[in-house]
Amino acid sequence: MAKENSNSTIIDIAQRANVTNITVSRAFNKPHLVKPETRDKILAIAKELNYVPNAFAQGLKKNSSQIIGVVTSSIYNPFYSSLIQTVSRIARNKGYQIMLFDSDSNESVENQAIQSLFSYQARGIILSAVRDDKGYQPDYLDLADAYKIPIVLIDRDIYGKNLSGVFLNNIEIGVRAGRFLAEQSEERLLIIGGPEDSEITKDRTAGIMGALIGHDKKIQTLYGDYTFHSQDTQLRELLKNQKVLPQYIVGLNGIITLGAMSICHQLDIYEKIKFFSVDNPPYAAAYGQQIPGIYHDTVLLGEKAADILFHAIESKDNKAEPRREYVAGELIYTKGNE
C-alpha cells in the first residue's frame, strides 16, 4: 500500500487510475456521471493516498476528525432547531464541533453540503434529507459508504436504503389524528400535506383516511411542499372560491399549519375554521391559542440521533446493522381552539 500523502492531488489519482483529471473530479462532485467500477477505483485510490477533495480542508485536516455535520432542510422549522441544539450540546460534551448546513429544501444545496463535510473529513453526519419519495436516491450515499462516514437520518427516510435514523411513526400519527377528528362534530375537513409522492405525506394521509372510514366526513386534500410555498396560492384560491368553507384544516406539519392559519387571518375567516397540526406551528402562541395536534419531543429525537451517531463513530464494526428508532408523539388538545 502506498504511503500516506496529505499533499495528494487529483492529478496523482488520475495517473494511478489511468483516467483523466475531469473523470476524477466528477467522481467526487457528480458521481452519477462516472461508471460505478471507475468511481470505485478512484475512491479506493483516493483513500489510499489520503486525498481530501478540498484544498482548504487539507489545512484543517488534523482537526477535521472532530467535526460532526448536521444538514437540515430548514433551520427555521422549530422541529429541527431544538433537535439541532440537543445534538450540538451532546457533541460539544464529547469534544466535537458541529458544522451546520441549511439545505433550504434544495437538492443541489444538500449535495454541496454533504460534499463539503466529506472534504472536512467529518466523523459523522446527521441528515434531514430534502425528499423522502421513492425517486430520491442521492449519489452521496455511495461516497459516504466508501469513506466510512456514518449518516444518521432524522424524520425523513431515504427510500429503500435501510439507513440508521430516528423517525416518526407516520401511519400511527395519521390514525391518531383521524380518531380525534372522527370525534369532532365538524364534517368538512381539509388535509394539507407536503409533496403528494412524499412517503411521510402518504402515510399520514392514509392513517387519517383509514381512521375516518365509517364516519360522515367530507374530506379534501391539498398538496405542495413542506415549506408551504406552493400551497399558498392553492389555498387562497380554494378558500376564496369555495362557497362552503372547510370546518377543520389539518396541517401535516407545523409550517404548513402556520401558513394556513396566516392565510385564514388575512382572509378574515380565522374564527370560522378550526385547526389540527402535526407538530407545533411556529409562534402559534402569538395567535393566543393552543392548536390541537400530535406533538413530538424533539429533544428526545436529538438525543436518540446523537446516541446512534456516536455509537457508529466509536464502533469498530463498520458492518454493524443499522439502528432505526421511532419516537411516539403526544396528542395535545385544549378547549382553546373551539
Side-chain angles (χ1 to χ4, degrees), residues 107-125:
E107 293 177 38
S108 177
V109 174
E110 177 179 277
N111 182 67
Q112 291 172 11
I114 299 293
Q115 295 291 344
S116 294
L117 289 167
F118 290 161
S119 298
Y120 281 96
Q121 295 186 323
R123 293 292 303 280
I125 299 171

Side-chain angles (χ1 to χ4, degrees), residues 124-139:
I125 299 171
I126 290 179
L127 168 67
S128 170
V130 297
R131 287 168 49 193
D132 72 329
D133 58 88
K134 292 182 180 180
Y136 190 52
Q137 302 292 312
D139 294 313

Side-chain angles (χ1 to χ4, degrees), residues 249-254 257 275-281 291-295:
I249 290 180
V250 183
L252 294 191
N253 79 358
T257 307
F275 298 87
F276 186 94
S277 182
V278 179
D279 287 311
N280 196 26
I291 305 302
I294 306 293
Y295 291 175

Side-chain angles (χ1 to χ4, degrees), residues 10-55:
I10 284 178
I11 297 173
D12 299 322
I13 298 172
Q15 290 175 345
R16 288 278 299 274
N18 196 27
V19 297
T20 67
N21 298 348
I22 293 176
T23 300
V24 175
S25 179
R26 283 177 177 169
F28 291 106
N29 299 306
K30 296 181 180 179
H32 60 283
L33 298 179
V34 181
K35 292 180 180 179
E37 58 271 21
T38 303
R39 185 178 65 211
D40 291 345
K41 182 179 181 181
I42 290 170
L43 293 176
I45 293 171
K47 288 178 68 64
E48 185 178 335
L49 296 179
N50 203 24
Y51 169 73
V52 182
N54 183 307

Side-chain angles (χ1 to χ4, degrees), residues 211-224:
L212 291 175
I213 292 176
H215 297 273
D216 189 18
K217 305 289 185 182
K218 297 177 177 63
I219 305 171
Q220 291 179 284
T221 54
L222 189 65
Y223 302 104

